[in-house]
Amino acid sequence: MVFLSHTSRRRTAEELGPAGFKAQGIRKDYLTEILENLEELLHSAGFSVWWDRRDLRPGDSIDPTIYRALNGCQAAVVLIDADALDAGYMRREVNILTFRHVEHDLHVVPVLLQVDAEQVRDSALGRETGIDVQLALHASKKRNKRAARETAERIAQHLVAESAAWQLDIYSPENRWIDDVALCLEHASRKALRRAAETLDLDLVAWERSSEPGWEIAAALWSAERHVVYDVIEDVAYQLPAELRDRIVEHALPLWAHLRAARTVRSASVEVPGTGRAVSLATRFLWLGELLARRASAGNRKARVVRLVDVHGESTIQDLVGQSDATLRRELNFPVETPPEEVTAALRRRPGQLYAVLRSDTVNPATTVAVTRELQNRFPGIVMIVLNHAGSAAWMTSSITPAFDPFPREDERAARKFVGDMSELSGGKKIEVDSEE
C-alpha cells in the first residue's frame, strides 16, 4: 500500500486576500489533479493507495484510520506545496513516515510542488520532521492538467521501479510497541478509552467504529505530545493491575523525546553499516539519555542501553577508555582476555543494537571526542549518546551529531518533569525534577 501525504486545507479569502485566495485555489486544483491521476496510475500498476479525501483544517485530528495506514504502508509519497510547509497534522504524518524510513527503510518519496528545498528546510515541516528533500522529485512550474498528469506519471514510474526493494515488517519494533500498549489498554473501561480518544483529539465517530479501539489509542500515543501522553496514562493507569500499570508506564517514559530526536539516534546506527556514531544531548541527566535510546529502538528487547563511566577532566583518556571497555565487554559477554581485534572482528560479523550513554563534564572537550572515537573503533556498531551542557565545545566536532538542536533548559525541565510525574503513576516514589535520577 502506498500512503499519499498532502494537505488539502483551504484558508479563507479574509486570511489570504483576493490574490492569495485565487492562487491557493489554483494550487489545490492542481494538487487534486495529481492525486487523482496518481491513484489511477498506481492502481493500474497493481498497488493499493491510501489518501485522505476530506478537507482537513489546521488543528484537525488524524483519525485512527490514518494511524493504521501510516504504520502499515509499504511506501509513501509526500506532496509538498506552499500550504504544506506549516500544516500541523501533516507534520505528524511525516514525523511517523520519516521515523519508519530510518527504522525500517520505508520508501518515502518527497515531491516538491513549486517550492524549493531551501523553503522546505526553513519551514516548520522541515525543522520538525527533518524530511530529506535533497533527492526529492520536482514538479514543473506549470499548474495545468497536463503538468499534473506528467508529475503523477513520474511519481508512479519511480515507485514501480523501486517497488521490488520494499519491505513490510509487521513485527517492527514500533508495531510491537503499539501492540504491547494496546494489550495493557484492554483492561481499561470503555469510558476511559473514550476519554483517551478525546484527549488525543481522535475522530470519535471513526474511533467508535473501530474493532481495535485500544490499538488506535496506542498508535496515536506513539506521536503525541508529552503532556497529552501523561494525561491519557494518568487517566487509565489506576484501572490497570499493578504489573500492567508498571508496563504501560515503562512504555510511555521514552515518549518525552520527540520522534525527530529518536530518529537522529537511530540514524547513527544505520548510516554506515558496521560502524557507530556519537550523538549529543544537552543535559546532565542519565535517565534522559537512556530513555532517548529506548525511544530510538522503539523498546526493542534486543536493544541494550549501557551506562559508561563519567568523563572527568582529571581522568586520562587511557583510564576512561579502559573502564568503558571493561563495561562493554561484560555487557557483550566477551572475556577480559579476548584481544581487542577479536572483539572488533566479532562485532563486525554480527552487529547489534547497543547504545552507550556517556556523561561528560571534562574541561577539555578533546578528551570527550577522543574517548568516543576510540570506543567506536573497538566496538563497531555502538551508538554513543554523549551528555554535556549545551555550550560544550565538544559538540562542534563533525563526529558528534546533535540529537536535539537546540535542547533548551525549559524543554529539559519539562522532560524531567514528565519522567518524574510518570514514575509516580506506576505506584513508585515520585522522582523529583532536580534529582540525579
Side-chain angles (χ1 to χ4, degrees), residues 56-348:
L56 295 178
R57 299 178 300 276
D60 279 355
S61 63
I62 302 180
D63 67 35
T65 307
I66 301 181
Y67 280 112
R68 187 172 289 278
L70 287 167
N71 282 286
C73 64
Q74 293 172 279
V77 177
V78 181
L79 296 160
I80 305 174
D81 61 9
D83 303 302
L85 299 179
D86 63 349
Y89 77 90
M90 189 170 171
R91 293 200 294 275
R92 295 188 71 179
E93 287 184 359
V94 177
N95 246 327
I96 294 172
L97 293 173
T98 49
F99 186 85
R100 287 195 61 210
H101 167 69
V102 171
E103 182 73 21
H104 310 295
D105 204 24
L106 175 71
H107 192 69
V108 179
V109 185
V111 182
L112 305 188
L113 307 178
Q114 290 83 44
V115 295
D116 57 41
E118 196 67 29
Q119 285 177 278
V120 178
R121 283 192 288 267
D122 292 342
S123 70
L125 179 71
R127 291 192 306 271
E128 294 186 20
T129 69
I131 185 170
D132 184 2
V133 293
Q134 186 175 355
L135 299 178
L137 299 179
H138 292 257
S140 70
K141 295 187 181 297
K142 296 180 180 179
R143 290 196 178 102
N144 54 37
K145 290 188 176 183
R146 181 176 178 180
R149 180 72 181 188
E150 290 174 350
T151 297
E153 287 174 347
R154 284 185 61 206
I155 299 168
Q157 289 167 4
H158 172 84
L159 290 170
V160 169
E162 297 292 329
S163 60
W166 294 356
Q167 298 178 4
L168 177 60
D169 182 8
I170 60 172
Y171 301 109
S172 64
E174 73 261 31
N175 274 332
R176 284 199 297 267
W177 186 97
I178 292 170
D179 288 342
D180 210 17
V181 171
L183 284 172
C184 296
L185 292 173
E186 285 181 0
H187 295 262
S189 68
R190 183 75 180 191
K191 287 184 178 179
L193 292 181
R194 182 181 172 84
R195 288 196 301 271
E198 290 175 344
T199 302
L200 289 160
D201 200 24
L202 298 183
D203 182 326
L204 292 179
V205 175
W207 180 80
E208 290 285 3
R209 292 198 301 262
S210 172
S211 60
E212 298 181 89
W215 194 98
E216 313 293 0
I217 290 170
L221 283 171
W222 176 248
S223 65
E225 295 294 329
R226 66 174 73 98
H227 69 276
V228 175
V229 173
Y230 179 77
D231 289 344
V232 170
I233 302 301
E234 181 186 37
D235 195 29
V236 301
Y238 75 95
Q239 299 189 16
L240 305 178
E243 64 276 10
L244 289 183
R245 189 166 61 242
D246 292 345
R247 191 158 139 193
I248 199 170
V249 169
E250 182 181 348
H251 277 298
L253 280 169
L255 299 184
W256 74 266
H258 304 307
L259 280 172
R260 177 174 58 85
R263 192 171 64 250
T264 300
V265 176
R266 180 62 182 149
S267 296
S269 63
V270 299
E271 284 183 349
V272 184
T275 68
R277 292 191 62 190
V279 297
S280 65
L281 184 60
T283 181
R284 296 281 299 140
F285 289 84
L286 289 164
W287 253 103
L288 297 186
E290 292 182 351
L291 292 174
L292 178 56
R294 292 183 192 171
R295 173 72 149 156
S297 66
N300 187 350
R301 292 182 178 88
K302 293 182 180 179
R304 286 169 289 181
V305 185
V306 184
R307 289 187 185 185
L308 299 183
V309 64
D310 290 359
V311 175
H312 293 290
E314 63 272 14
S315 303
T316 67
I317 294 175
Q318 185 176 3
D319 288 341
L320 292 166
V321 170
Q323 293 175 62
S324 295
D325 182 284
T327 300
L328 290 169
R329 281 170 178 262
R330 284 196 301 272
E331 182 65 28
L332 295 167
N333 200 29
F334 285 111
V336 176
E337 63 274 11
T338 307
E341 57 272 16
E342 289 188 20
V343 174
T344 301
L347 289 176
R348 289 195 186 282

